[in-house]
Amino acid sequence: MKSNQSNIKKAKKYLDSNECIAVPTETVYGLAGNAYSDFSAKKIFKLKKRPSNNPLIVHYYNLKALEHDCIINEDFKKLYNKFSPGPITYVLKLKKNSKISKFVTNNKNTVAIRFPKHKLLRKLLKVLSYPLAAPSANISSKLSSVQPSDVKEEFGRKLKYILKGGRCSIGVESTIIKLTDTPSILRLGGLSVSKIKKIIKKQILIKNKSKNKISPGLFSLHYSPGIPLRMNVKKPNEGEAFVLIKKRKTNSKNYFFLSKNNNLIKAARNLYPLIRKIKNKGYKKIAVEKIPNIGIGQTINDRLERASKY
Ligand code: AMP
Ligand code: MG
């Protein structure tokens, strides 16, 4: 408890002086900076080697902290009351006098916002006088980080501080929904679309594969392990690591399991670290068996598909 408090103090000190640090969230680790500071925003893009036209998600403690920056609407209120804090990001209209850096939004008149649930991050957000711009803590287009050691692997000494908050409980990024007109899903994520549908009870467009890239993070290659990956595989080829959804008895050293018993939520949590582990073991190719395309399984398949565009 005490050490948490001194770590939060340390994190605040870095952020107040416009440094970037890594922070834990329930989805994936974030590379965070003051969302009101041009300097911090530019630093995030530089550290991640992220194209400047790919805007960042802004993380808030609560609605009060948000009211100066965005225009909210009925769909937002319904979803916020049900799912926030949690793994859902809303794209809303920016207010004219918003203090968010134009580098965060890439000069758009909309902004992506989220209310993370991780306790330590909430404690930090509560003591800050600004929201945090925080994309995933990984080099652009690579695998996201879900534990402090992943963040270290991505950035090494270039990153001054990691606020350590254990392993991410969800392990895949947030679901992004645009609410400025007809609700549309821009990215599948930790919250399933069926749950969202039950709350807003109207048509939701699924635009995560749209050719007209509203969300630049939808560029096809993403979440890349840096080695080729094939999906829907029944039998692996010689030398391939084989990823299965459910544990089974085998003498093959190249078999890896996403969950003990077909659990898609656990499989999502294990996805990135397992792929990272396989790569670090020196495998040159990955084969993945067919993953059921239901609930969070849709998010797993989305990530695998992008990772396979190597
Ligand atoms: P990451 O920061 O890696 O979690 O990715 C954030 C995602 O949010 C990217 O896919 C961005 O393109 C998307 N995003 C951020 N701001 C906006 C916005 N104003 N409109 C649409 N998508 C956005
Ligand atoms: Mg990312």
Side-chain angles (χ1 to χ4, degrees):
M1 229 14 220
K2 237 188 177 168
S3 78
N4 271 352
Q5 250 156 28
S6 72
N7 289 345
I8 283 177
K9 249 191 178 165
K10 222 183 211 173
K12 179 176 179 334
K13 211 169 159 191
Y14 278 115
L15 292 166
D16 283 348
S17 55
N18 289 333
E19 270 300 338
C20 301
I21 63 165
V23 295
T25 88
E26 73 280 20
T27 58
V28 299
Y29 270 73
L31 181 64
N34 177 353
Y36 292 160
S37 151
D38 290 348
F39 184 86
S40 299
K42 282 198 261 185
K43 205 154 186 180
I44 292 175
F45 281 95
K46 195 168 167 217
L47 265 170
K48 267 188 71 98
K49 302 190 180 121
R50 181 170 172 118
S52 61
N53 66 352
N54 191 359
L56 310 176
I57 297 176
V58 181
H59 295 69
Y60 287 90
Y61 178 67
N62 61 15
L63 272 188
K64 183 133 188 51
L66 165 109
E67 68 191 11
H68 300 291
D69 291 328
C70 333
I71 302 170
I72 60 170
N73 55 37
E74 284 309 310
D75 288 336
F76 168 77
K77 279 189 217 159
K78 280 185 200 157
L79 293 171
Y80 174 89
N81 286 334
K82 182 74 187 172
F83 300 120
S84 291
I88 176 167
T89 294
Y90 313 95
V91 174
L92 296 174
K93 283 197 181 126
L94 257 188
K95 276 196 176 161
K96 279 218 173 76
N97 54 356
S98 148
K99 287 197 270 181
I100 295 173
S101 161
K102 59 183 186 303
F103 293 95
V104 167
T105 55
N106 183 33
N107 271 318
K108 280 172 175 284
N109 56 8
T110 56
V111 61
I113 59 148
R114 186 164 101 79
F115 306 85
K117 197 171 188 170
H118 195 290
K119 275 192 185 144
L120 200 55
L121 179 57
R122 281 186 59 74
K123 276 189 182 158
L124 174 62
L125 284 168
K126 199 173 175 185
V127 297
L128 298 176
S129 55
Y130 44 82
L132 288 177
S136 52
N138 53 275
I139 303 297
S140 196
S141 91
K142 301 291 185 224
L143 280 179
S144 302
S145 300
V146 295
Q147 50 202 346
S149 59
D150 300 344
V151 181
K152 266 197 202 131
E153 212 174 282
E154 290 291 312
F155 296 103
R157 287 195 183 165
K158 284 194 187 136
L159 192 61
K160 295 252 165 71
Y161 186 65
I162 303 173
L163 179 64
K164 291 183 181 164
R167 173 96 169 253
C168 302
S169 59
I170 292 177
V172 288
E173 296 76 1
S174 59
T175 302
I176 304 182
I177 184 164
K178 188 162 183 275
L179 294 173
T180 52
D181 36 64
T182 307
S184 33
I185 301 290
L186 304 185
R187 173 173 79 186
L188 297 173
L191 183 67
S192 69
V193 178
S194 56
K195 283 190 179 160
I196 294 176
K197 271 191 179 147
K198 275 186 196 149
I199 300 303
I200 45 180
K201 297 190 181 97
K202 55 163 112 159
Q203 191 199 6
I204 299 181
L205 307 172
I206 309 284
K207 292 202 173 162
N208 73 315
K209 284 187 183 152
S210 145
K211 291 248 166 18
N212 158 29
K213 302 273 158 48
I214 318 167
S215 196
L218 302 176
F219 291 148
S220 52
L221 173 78
H222 216 121
Y223 317 107
S224 164
I227 53 174
L229 180 147
R230 318 191 279 136
M231 297 171 70
N232 304 321
V233 173
K234 287 197 175 123
K235 203 168 164 249
N237 295 330
E238 182 77 30
E240 269 181 333
F242 192 31
V243 175
L244 297 123
I245 177 86
K246 179 183 171 186
K247 194 159 187 156
R248 73 163 83 137
K249 274 196 182 146
T250 171
N251 290 325
S252 312
K253 271 199 198 138
N254 60 327
Y255 279 47
F256 298 89
F257 309 103
L258 283 168
S259 73
K260 265 193 192 147
N261 42 15
N262 240 338
N263 182 323
L264 286 171
I265 291 173
K266 287 189 179 152
R269 192 181 300 153
N270 287 329
L271 181 68
Y272 293 143
L274 186 63
I275 292 180
R276 222 175 246 282
K277 180 171 137 187
I278 288 170
K279 197 194 159 193
N280 289 342
K281 275 182 177 280
Y283 282 93
K284 297 283 181 270
K285 286 178 177 178
I286 305 177
V288 186
E289 82 166 339
K290 192 175 175 128
I291 307 289
N293 205 36
I294 42 167
I296 204 166
Q298 290 184 330
T299 305
I300 299 177
N301 281 321
D302 172 85
R303 301 304 189 262
L304 289 171
E305 207 176 313
R306 292 171 208 279
S308 72
K309 297 276 173 353
Y310 175 76

